[in-house]
Amino acid sequence: MTIVYVLTNESMPGYIKIGRTDTSVQQRMSELDRTSVPLPFQCYYAARVPDNVHVEKTLHAAFADFRVRQSREFFRMDPYKAQVIIELVATENVTPSEVEVSDDEGKAAIEKSTRVSGRFNLARYGITPGSILSFAPDRSITALVTDETSVEFDGAKMSLSAAAVAANQKRGRTGTALAGPIYWLYEDETLANIRDRIDNDA
């Protein structure tokens, strides 16, 4: 089993980990949870590929400008950018169907962190009511922007993060804490990337 994965961590917003494993993403995340990182990692995307060593090296080279340290697999970049590149060579999407957290305390910590991170202001970044957002893991799933902080999903008004959880559940997946801005796309760009791009230009 050769897998390349993209992980995010609520304690490190804006950063992702791109790595590979010959076992399973769940096992790798469990190993990482035993390190000194405050919150458990979450798998944004994982795929089986023909040669995970080659694909990982290629990704690291392609995104070298975003790498935090050469001795670490962390990059300050949008996870969706890594996902769309991996999709080009993926033979199977093996993103875990649920958030793999080793204990209830870790799960609760992720949920709390997602709630207190603050709502994304869509209007601030030129995303007006009536705009359509697409769900990064499955772009056929969409949400309708209703106001500056909410969307309509399956007939209900909710926050971006709540809509991401609902969209994930619609795909038969579980997980009660997803950061909306990295999961929703506007014109094929994640909201988080739009925010970073505009704020950095300001």
Side-chain angles (χ1 to χ4, degrees):
M1 181 183 295
T2 60
I3 294 171
V4 171
Y5 57 76
V6 180
L7 304 183
T8 61
N9 193 297
E10 282 295 307
S11 64
M12 297 181 288
Y15 292 88
I16 64 172
K17 179 176 173 61
I18 301 173
R20 62 182 173 85
T21 179
D22 293 318
T23 54
S24 72
V25 181
Q26 292 92 332
Q27 180 177 328
R28 183 66 183 123
M29 289 166 61
S30 179
E31 292 168 355
L32 290 168
D33 196 30
R34 293 193 288 271
T35 64
S36 58
V37 180
L39 294 173
F41 281 91
Q42 294 178 277
C43 185
Y44 188 86
Y45 181 74
R48 202 184 311 277
V49 296
D51 183 347
N52 66 359
V53 175
H54 175 69
V55 172
E56 181 196 41
K57 286 182 178 179
T58 301
L59 289 167
H60 289 182
F63 300 131
D65 290 347
F66 303 99
R67 196 164 189 169
V68 180
R69 294 170 61 190
Q70 288 305 309
S71 60
R72 300 288 186 272
E73 296 177 335
F74 289 95
F75 300 77
R76 182 164 179 75
M77 61 177 284
D78 189 80
Y80 180 66
K81 290 180 179 178
Q83 174 187 326
V84 295
I85 297 302
I86 298 171
E87 285 176 337
L88 293 173
V89 295
T91 59
E92 181 185 2
N93 182 339
V94 293
T95 307
S97 63
E98 59 183 296
V99 178
E100 293 288 334
V101 180
S102 59
D103 54 59
D104 290 339
E105 181 185 25
K107 185 176 294 185
I110 291 175
E111 292 176 359
K112 181 179 179 181
S113 177
T114 303
R115 287 196 305 271
V116 302
S117 60
R119 286 198 168 191
F120 186 97
N121 190 315
L122 293 154
R124 177 177 176 179
Y125 301 103
I127 305 170
T128 57
S131 298
I132 302 296
L133 306 181
S134 302
F135 191 53
D138 181 346
R139 271 86 87 188
S140 69
I141 298 176
T142 61
L144 177 71
V145 175
T146 56
D147 59 44
E148 63 183 21
T149 59
S150 304
V151 297
E152 180 181 312
F153 184 77
D154 273 356
K157 183 178 177 179
M158 59 187 75
S159 70
L160 290 166
S161 293
V165 171
N168 211 35
Q169 292 172 344
K170 190 170 185 176
R171 299 170 61 239
R173 314 245 171 184
T174 60
T176 57
L178 297 178
I182 64 173
Y183 281 93
W184 288 109
L185 309 171
Y186 178 65
E187 296 182 347
D188 211 33
E189 183 179 12
T190 66
L191 299 179
N193 198 65
I194 291 172
R195 176 182 56 202
D196 291 345
R197 174 172 52 77
I198 293 176
D199 287 353
N200 288 337
D201 288 344

